[in-house]
Amino acid sequence: MDTPGDAPRQSGPRGGSERLDGFTAVVPAGGSGTRLWPLSRSDSPKFLHDLTGSGRSLLQATVERLRPLAGDRVMVVTGSRHADSVLAQLPDLAPEHVLVEPGPRDSMPAIGWAAAVLERQDPDAVLGSFAADHVIGDVPAFHGVVRQAVAAARTGALVTLGITPTHPATSFGYIQVGAEAAVPGAPDLRQAEAFVEKPDAQRAADYLAGGAHLWNAGMFVVQARTLLELLEVRHPQMVRTLRDIAADPDLVTSRWESLTRIAIDHAVAEPAAAAGRVRVLPARFAWDDIGDFASLAALLPESDEHPGLRVLGPADHVLSEGSTGVVVAHGGRMVITLGLADVVVVDTPDAVLVTTRERCQDVKAVVAALQERGRGDLT
Amino acid sequence: MDTPGDAPRQSGPRGGSERLDGFTAVVPAGGSGTRLWPLSRSDSPKFLHDLTGSGRSLLQATVERLRPLAGDRVMVVTGSRHADSVLAQLPDLAPEHVLVEPGPRDSMPAIGWAAAVLERQDPDAVLGSFAADHVIGDVPAFHGVVRQAVAAARTGALVTLGITPTHPATSFGYIQVGAEAAVPGAPDLRQAEAFVEKPDAQRAADYLAGGAHLWNAGMFVVQARTLLELLEVRHPQMVRTLRDIAADPDLVTSRWESLTRIAIDHAVAEPAAAAGRVRVLPARFAWDDIGDFASLAALLPESDEHPGLRVLGPADHVLSEGSTGVVVAHGGRMVITLGLADVVVVDTPDAVLVTTRERCQDVKAVVAALQERGRGDLT
């Protein structure tokens, strides 16, 4: 396993892949990926799955992407029901680098806990938070932007990465970009005016045309102490509790449930943007949070064997005739599609879902319906 | 188990259900039902399956339908690979009433063998041949027509039952009806002019409008000796071989493969019709050979729980939202359809098929494709 003292493993012409001193990657590994049911389950959420056919889970790919920058300074924050799976998938991860939440409290307590742990080690430590279930296309480009973000974070800003939109997406939030705010080492830095919620189609088209909005990918780079200071403005009790837990990890059992359930966007990013404390780095690498099966399909290559169809799973488990769409063959069985356009078939050992690209956002309602019927065991 | 000496179990007001002396029901249980794959397999063809949700297989329902007319004079002719399943499903059937073909030779050798066996017992015996995988809606009406057919067969005719068309079907052959030919006990009897092959859509519409064509359901009622006499005209060697096998059943092993592979329609019915030896009884009961999943869907009731969807299998294994079509839930798992019109989903333990009503005739090609790929184990 790499240690901080090792030589950098890769270094591109952009110089983006050199190890960054004092930088720790924090990977919140949570969320259930309900719209990817029955592939993603509450016991086996999407970050534990290989959704791209790469041979690695999203979590493994995320950590692997961060290692060249962070070395072994990678922390994963995950729920108690997934801790064993996380450790099994990441055998090189030191157990003390896995923070195990007794229960889900959304992203702010998770990232805040990591910040409080790091602050005790080094108040100037810079952390970068990157979700365990996102896909990034151009890793050297990602490294280059994170390098700028770390430089910018050292000035005391909360830095976010904003993805340059490639289509008028309505399933992402946006970041409104303001004036240039370059600092040494971060020539592309801009002021972040505001975080805006998921728009309707018209507004999304306006954002795309206007060029002043980026996708909010939930990536934050910030000094540990800065994050806690910004959090303290509205949630001083949370900061006290997180520092107590960082000082005495045994307290997590008794104190965790007292923490407010809130996302980092609402707890810190939005108010900090309003206070002029947020910067944004426009990023041009391909990015997706694989929110549903349409997103998943778009990330998979079209196979020679099944023209028009994307396949996740063994190609020889799929037979397709006159069909387009996506087939997930994870049931260990043969899946045959015949004469269906834009179909979504997700086969697993105990459930098979058949829908269309158009309706795949509604998979969430299927999960709710199963729970209502007393079939929560399947979700 | 009933014996010929028992009192009739049922007798409707039409008097159609009384046991018929000297009548034997012959049930050819063959065919693979390729268009019902993956439900129907070569090792487990459609006659072994409950395709109507009745709780009985098509074979069991066929035999049960014939018992009131034939008592225990029911013979099943089936292939060696299915004999055990047939006996398991019909524990009341005497083993000597199951004729086991060493290999498939189509329907003429199968029915001819039964005729040769019966001829040795009683040359005047009347046999009625009814496929093991057809569905009949109105059993008392069926009994009434068979009763007339047996009376007509005693006059030395080959009698077939013709189903009154309810739509311009292109997937059935037709029988062209001629003049009235009533005999005592068979007031509805007509001359059968000819058997005509599956028509195109235009001709099927003409047949339906014209009123002189009935569906050929492959049901024949005939004296054993008459059938062999008609067969002898073109296939004298086949008749000799069948009589030899009937005299010494051990010969079936060595002689069976020498028999011509031919359907009863071509070997006997068509030439006999041309010779004026065939009569037909128009039948108005609902009938279907469940040729594909569209036919299967039409036979299933629309459930309250899944409006617009037909379900075969446990209703609580299906969750449907905004979908119409048919789901076969035989995989022991949950099947979910979301936002699909006229969909066909057939779930089994080792294969799942997703197609549309429109394309379900093409399932046959899927089976061929699997065989080409070396996955004959699934077919």
Side-chain angles (χ1 to χ4, degrees):
Chain A
M1 185 171 151
D2 292 327
T3 63
D6 283 351
R9 279 193 295 188
Q10 50 171 298
S11 176
R14 286 175 259 194
S17 299
E18 281 160 37
R19 192 117 349 132
L20 294 163
D21 284 340
F23 171 69
T24 295
V26 174
V27 177
S32 57
T34 308
R35 281 187 299 257
L36 291 179
W37 185 91
L39 193 55
S40 177
R41 310 281 178 109
S42 53
D43 275 343
S44 178
K46 67 176 174 175
F47 62 81
L48 293 174
H49 294 268
D50 171 13
L51 298 186
T52 63
S54 69
R56 297 163 305 164
S57 73
L58 297 179
L59 171 66
Q60 288 172 320
T62 299
V63 170
E64 190 171 307
R65 186 189 305 131
L66 291 164
R67 288 271 190 223
L69 299 175
D72 70 351
R73 295 178 62 92
V74 175
M75 296 172 76
V76 177
V77 192
T78 195
S80 52
R81 68 200 297 192
H82 307 130
D84 289 347
S85 302
V86 166
L87 284 164
Q89 288 201 356
L90 300 171
D92 288 346
L93 201 67
E96 67 269 24
H97 285 178
V98 181
L99 302 185
V100 182
E101 302 167 286
R105 312 306 290 163
D106 214 327
S107 59
M108 188 65 251
I111 299 167
W113 184 12
V117 169
L118 290 172
E119 182 195 40
R120 288 181 65 80
Q121 299 167 5
D122 171 10
D124 291 332
V126 173
L127 69 89
S129 172
F130 305 97
D133 54 6
H134 293 182
V135 169
I136 285 172
D138 181 349
V139 173
F142 168 73
H143 288 167
V145 180
V146 175
R147 169 170 288 275
Q148 290 200 45
V150 172
R154 295 202 196 283
T155 69
L158 174 63
V159 184
T160 185
L161 276 59
I163 313 295
T164 305
T166 54
H167 64 275
T170 58
S171 55
F172 304 137
Y174 285 72
I175 301 162
Q176 187 185 336
V177 179
E180 290 183 11
V183 299
D188 300 328
L189 197 67
R190 308 285 292 262
Q191 189 74 14
E193 293 294 335
F195 291 84
V196 291
E197 61 188 355
K198 295 174 186 177
D200 59 22
Q202 179 56 54
R203 215 184 312 182
D206 293 345
Y207 288 169
L208 185 66
H213 289 81
L214 303 171
W215 289 337
N216 176 9
M219 299 175 183
F220 295 100
V221 179
V222 61
Q223 282 179 313
R225 68 173 172 194
T226 303
L227 182 64
L228 294 171
E229 172 205 319
L230 291 168
L231 177 60
E232 216 162 20
V233 176
R234 297 199 179 190
H235 299 276
Q237 181 56 50
M238 187 186 294
V239 173
R240 277 192 293 273
T241 302
L242 292 171
R243 283 180 170 144
D244 289 349
I245 293 171
D248 177 4
D250 289 345
L251 287 177
V252 72
T253 315
S254 58
R255 306 285 294 281
W256 190 258
E257 293 303 312
S258 74
L259 295 168
T260 302
R261 185 189 291 258
I262 189 168
I264 189 171
D265 298 71
H266 306 313
V268 165
E270 290 161 10
R277 294 287 300 274
V278 183
R279 305 288 180 277
V280 59
L281 280 161
R284 295 190 173 274
F285 50 77
W287 166 87
D288 205 290
D289 69 350
I290 320 186
D292 57 31
F293 287 111
S295 300
L296 183 140
L299 290 170
L300 294 169
E302 195 177 328
S303 79
D304 294 340
E305 199 177 348
H306 307 290
L309 201 72
R310 319 283 170 138
V311 172
L312 183 65
D316 64 353
H317 281 197
V318 178
L319 182 65
S320 170
E321 164 63 37
S323 299
T324 59
V326 60
V327 171
V328 179
H330 276 202
R333 302 172 306 156
M334 201 66 171
V335 179
I336 295 90
T337 61
L338 173 61
L340 286 152
D342 276 331
V343 73
V344 174
V345 180
V346 185
D347 186 41
T348 72
D350 59 0
V352 56
L353 168 73
V354 184
T355 186
T356 61
R357 279 189 206 235
E358 199 178 50
R359 292 297 299 273
C360 66
Q361 284 275 326
D362 300 331
V363 171
K364 199 168 184 161
V366 166
V367 173
L370 285 168
Q371 285 163 345
E372 269 170 37
R373 281 182 167 212
R375 293 308 307 270
D377 60 306
L378 289 173
T379 65
Chain B
M1 183 173 153
D2 292 328
T3 65
D6 285 350
R9 281 194 295 188
Q10 53 171 296
S11 176
R14 286 175 256 193
S17 299
E18 280 161 36
R19 191 115 353 129
L20 293 164
D21 285 341
F23 171 70
T24 295
V26 175
V27 177
S32 57
T34 308
R35 282 187 298 258
L36 291 180
W37 185 90
L39 194 53
S40 178
R41 310 281 179 107
S42 53
D43 275 341
S44 177
K46 67 176 175 174
F47 63 80
L48 294 174
H49 292 269
D50 171 13
L51 298 187
T52 63
S54 70
R56 295 163 307 165
S57 73
L58 297 178
L59 171 67
Q60 288 172 320
T62 299
V63 170
E64 190 171 307
R65 185 189 307 131
L66 292 164
R67 287 276 190 219
L69 300 174
D72 70 351
R73 295 178 62 91
V74 174
M75 296 173 74
V76 177
V77 192
T78 196
S80 54
R81 66 199 299 193
H82 307 130
D84 289 346
S85 301
V86 166
L87 284 164
Q89 287 201 357
L90 300 171
D92 289 348
L93 200 68
E96 66 270 23
H97 284 178
V98 181
L99 302 186
V100 180
E101 303 167 285
R105 310 305 290 164
D106 214 326
S107 59
M108 188 67 250
I111 299 167
W113 185 13
V117 169
L118 290 172
E119 182 194 41
R120 289 182 63 81
Q121 298 167 5
D122 172 11
D124 293 332
V126 174
L127 67 89
S129 172
F130 306 96
D133 54 5
H134 292 181
V135 170
I136 285 172
D138 180 349
V139 173
F142 169 73
H143 287 167
V145 179
V146 175
R147 170 168 287 276
Q148 290 198 46
V150 172
R154 294 203 194 284
T155 69
L158 175 64
V159 185
T160 185
L161 277 58
I163 312 296
T164 306
T166 54
H167 63 274
T170 57
S171 55
F172 306 137
Y174 284 71
I175 301 162
Q176 187 185 336
V177 180
E180 291 183 11
V183 298
D188 299 329
L189 198 67
R190 308 285 292 263
Q191 190 73 18
E193 295 294 336
F195 291 83
V196 290
E197 60 188 356
K198 294 173 186 177
D200 59 23
Q202 179 55 54
R203 214 185 313 184
D206 293 346
Y207 289 168
L208 184 68
H213 288 80
L214 303 171
W215 288 337
N216 176 11
M219 299 176 183
F220 295 100
V221 180
V222 62
Q223 282 178 313
R225 66 171 173 197
T226 303
L227 182 63
L228 294 172
E229 172 204 317
L230 292 169
L231 177 60
E232 218 161 18
V233 176
R234 300 201 176 188
H235 299 275
Q237 182 56 49
M238 188 186 295
V239 173
R240 278 193 292 276
T241 302
L242 292 172
R243 281 181 172 142
D244 288 349
I245 292 171
D248 178 3
D250 288 345
L251 289 177
V252 73
T253 314
S254 58
R255 306 286 294 279
W256 190 258
E257 293 303 314
S258 74
L259 295 168
T260 303
R261 187 190 289 258
I262 189 170
I264 189 171
D265 298 71
H266 305 314
V268 164
E270 288 161 11
R277 293 288 300 274
V278 184
R279 307 288 180 276
V280 59
L281 279 162
R284 294 189 173 277
F285 50 77
W287 167 85
D288 205 289
D289 69 350
I290 322 188
D292 58 29
F293 287 110
S295 301
L296 183 140
L299 291 169
L300 295 169
E302 193 177 328
S303 78
D304 295 340
E305 200 178 345
H306 307 290
L309 200 74
R310 319 283 170 140
V311 173
L312 183 64
D316 64 354
H317 281 197
V318 178
L319 181 66
S320 170
E321 163 65 34
S323 299
T324 61
V326 60
V327 172
V328 179
H330 278 204
R333 304 172 305 154
M334 201 68 173
V335 180
I336 295 92
T337 62
L338 173 61
L340 286 152
D342 276 331
V343 73
V344 174
V345 180
V346 184
D347 185 42
T348 72
D350 59 1
V352 56
L353 169 73
V354 183
T355 184
T356 62
R357 280 191 206 234
E358 200 178 50
R359 292 297 298 274
C360 64
Q361 285 274 326
D362 301 331
V363 171
K364 198 168 186 161
V366 167
V367 173
L370 284 168
Q371 285 163 347
E372 268 171 39
R373 281 183 170 212
R375 292 308 308 269
D377 59 304
L378 289 174
T379 66

